[in-house]
């Protein structure tokens, strides 16, 4: 397998950034990790995951769509889209790498979202296998192997070397661009590191969490459950869970008067907000219970019903660690399973 010594990793970053824009996860001053455009001297984080997911690269929090210029009764429509530059995202964890396939099922089906597709076409995802999963991790519940990451190019580390393997044509092109920095090497130590990670995963608190009792055929059973009242009672409706989630895909479209025309943009929305899905006649979900139920029914029932059994969660654990009242999809699953 192709590899590079750990102390040569920043030579690799320099080579990649000389040809394309490179983003890596790095620590902020408060210790949280986030993706930033690589610059010399920047350090790769040792944090397991970033505060917000890599979803932002393909489905940004805010995005301009179109502009309107008005002159009397004449309206000029201006397409303000620009071709994205080619870019590389390094260090995407296996859970986030899987999230892109979930978003693809929403935005790359007919009618294709050309804004999303444009970014997907230009982006190369270099994933990084996990070595020390956290107690909040439960990606295995959704069929994700943290030691075998997806993405265009997969990367592993045994502490001495970083190993690379292309999964797609874009991944092959990425490796071809840095081939002079790589060497062939055996994977004996890497195999041991992978086994250590699997041992850790088997001992995590959520290692036995299962989706066996969920899916598209559970609509009536869970929609009408009397558990929703108690589960949603303490929810603040803050939307934190949706904003840190790598698979949430809802957005709102708004118009802004610039004083010299109208700019139409879209921004992330949250099913936890009181104006979510609000229409001219009113809002079909008037209570927090209904909005709370919508979020988890979508992840566990609606999405798999429409996507051949694939669930709308990747077990990244962000909602477990960031919810201010410690309510999350794991608690909902366990509560609904109780008869």
């Amino acid at each position: 397998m192709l590899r590079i010594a750990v102390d040569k990793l920043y030579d690799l970053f320099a080579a990649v950034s000389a040809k394309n824009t490179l983003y890596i996860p790095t620590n902020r001053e408060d210790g949280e990790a986030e993706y930033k455009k690589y610059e010399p001297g920047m350090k790769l984080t040792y944090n397991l995951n970033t505060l917000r997911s890599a979803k932002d690269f393909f489905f940004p929090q805010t995005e301009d769509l179109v502009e309107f210029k008005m002159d009397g009764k004449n309206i000029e429509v201006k397409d303000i889209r620009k071709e994205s530059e080619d870019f590389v995202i390094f260090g995407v964890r296996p859970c986030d790498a899987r999230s892109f396939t979930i978003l693809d099922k929403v935005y790359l089906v007919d009618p294709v979202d050309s804004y999303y597709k444009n970014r997907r076409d230009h982006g190369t995802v270099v994933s990084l296998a996990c070595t020390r999963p956290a107690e909040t991790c439960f990606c295995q519940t959704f069929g994700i192997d943290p030691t075998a990451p997806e993405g265009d190019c997969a990367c592993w580390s045994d502490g001495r070397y970083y190993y690379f393997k292309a999964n797609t044509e874009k991944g092959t092109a990425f490796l071809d661009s840095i081939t002079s920095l790589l060497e062939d090497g055996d994977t004996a130590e890497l195999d041991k590191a992978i086994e250590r990670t699997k041992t850790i995963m088997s001992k995590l608190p959520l290692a036995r969490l299962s989706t066996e009792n969920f899916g598209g055929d559970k609509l009536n059973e869970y929609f009408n459950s009397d558990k929703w009242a108690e589960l949603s009672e303490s929810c603040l409706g803050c939307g934190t869970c949706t904003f840190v989630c790598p698979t949430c895909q809802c957005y709102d479209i708004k118009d802004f008067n610039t004083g010299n025309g109208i700019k139409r943009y879209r921004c992330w929305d949250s099913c936890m907000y009181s104006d979510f899905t609000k229409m001219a006649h009113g809002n079909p979900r008037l209570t927090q219970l209904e909005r709370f139920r919508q979020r988890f029914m979508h992840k566990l029932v609606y999405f798999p019903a429409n996507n051949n059994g694939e669930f709308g969660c990747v077990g990244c654990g962000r909602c477990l660690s960031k919810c201010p009242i410690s309510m999350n999809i794991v608690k909902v699953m366990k509560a609904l399973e109780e008869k």
Side-chain angles (χ1 to χ4, degrees), residues 42-289:
M42 189 179 293
K43 298 299 182 182
L44 182 72
T45 183
Y46 287 102
N47 287 13
L48 177 66
N49 237 325
T50 49
L51 177 62
R52 291 195 349 192
S53 78
K55 174 180 72 175
D56 295 41
F57 288 102
F58 305 114
F59 177 43
Q61 185 173 350
T62 60
E63 180 176 23
D64 292 337
L65 300 178
V66 66
E67 286 185 358
F68 303 96
K69 296 290 186 179
M70 291 173 286
D71 183 12
K73 294 183 178 181
N74 297 318
I75 301 178
E76 178 188 1
V77 181
K78 298 182 64 176
D79 187 344
I80 57 177
R81 288 178 293 183
K82 297 179 180 179
E83 287 296 316
S84 297
E85 60 183 356
D86 290 336
F87 62 94
V88 176
I89 319 168
F90 182 90
V92 177
R93 293 298 185 180
C95 51
D96 282 0
R98 172 65 64 84
S99 75
F100 301 145
T101 66
I102 293 175
L103 295 174
D104 287 351
K105 287 179 170 63
V106 177
Y107 291 115
L108 295 185
V109 297
D110 191 35
V112 172
D113 186 307
S114 58
Y115 298 88
Y116 177 86
K117 183 179 184 301
N118 186 51
R119 290 185 170 87
R120 286 291 273 148
D121 289 345
H122 285 278
T124 297
V125 176
V126 181
S127 55
L128 179 61
C130 298
T131 54
R132 293 185 295 175
E135 291 188 353
T136 53
C137 293
F138 57 108
C139 64
Q140 291 183 114
T141 299
F142 300 99
I144 299 169
D145 184 347
T147 66
E150 300 172 11
D152 296 305
C153 182
C155 178
W156 297 261
S157 176
D158 64 2
R160 296 178 59 212
Y161 293 94
Y162 283 94
Y163 299 79
F164 296 89
K165 177 184 177 183
N167 292 330
T168 69
E169 290 183 4
K170 284 196 290 187
T172 299
F174 170 76
L175 291 184
D176 288 344
S177 71
I178 57 171
T179 186
S180 62
L181 297 173
L182 304 178
E183 64 180 19
D184 286 315
D186 68 73
T187 61
E189 292 302 314
L190 176 60
D191 293 340
K192 294 177 183 178
I194 289 175
E195 287 304 313
R196 288 194 294 270
T197 301
K198 290 184 176 181
T199 299
I200 294 173
M201 290 298 296
S202 69
K203 297 178 180 180
L204 291 179
L206 303 177
R208 303 293 179 267
L209 185 68
S210 172
T211 59
E212 182 180 357
N213 294 316
F214 297 92
D217 61 341
K218 299 293 183 177
L219 175 57
N220 292 330
E221 177 182 349
Y222 288 140
F223 188 89
N224 297 314
S225 173
D226 58 5
K227 303 288 182 60
W228 294 115
E230 181 180 353
L231 287 168
S232 64
E233 186 175 12
S234 58
C235 179
L236 304 176
C238 65
T240 297
C241 54
T242 57
F243 275 62
V244 298
C245 179
T247 63
C248 278
Q249 63 246 194
C250 293
Y251 62 85
D252 195 5
I253 295 180
K254 298 184 178 182
D255 290 347
F256 174 72
N257 189 340
T258 65
N260 189 35
I262 302 297
K263 180 175 290 185
R264 178 165 294 171
Y265 66 97
R266 70 176 172 186
C267 55
W268 291 353
D269 202 353
S270 173
C271 52
M272 293 299 184
Y273 295 162
S274 59
D275 59 353
F276 180 73
T277 64
K278 186 176 182 179
M279 296 170 277
H281 80 284
N283 196 326
R285 300 185 184 95
L286 295 176
T287 67
Q288 192 61 35
L289 183 154

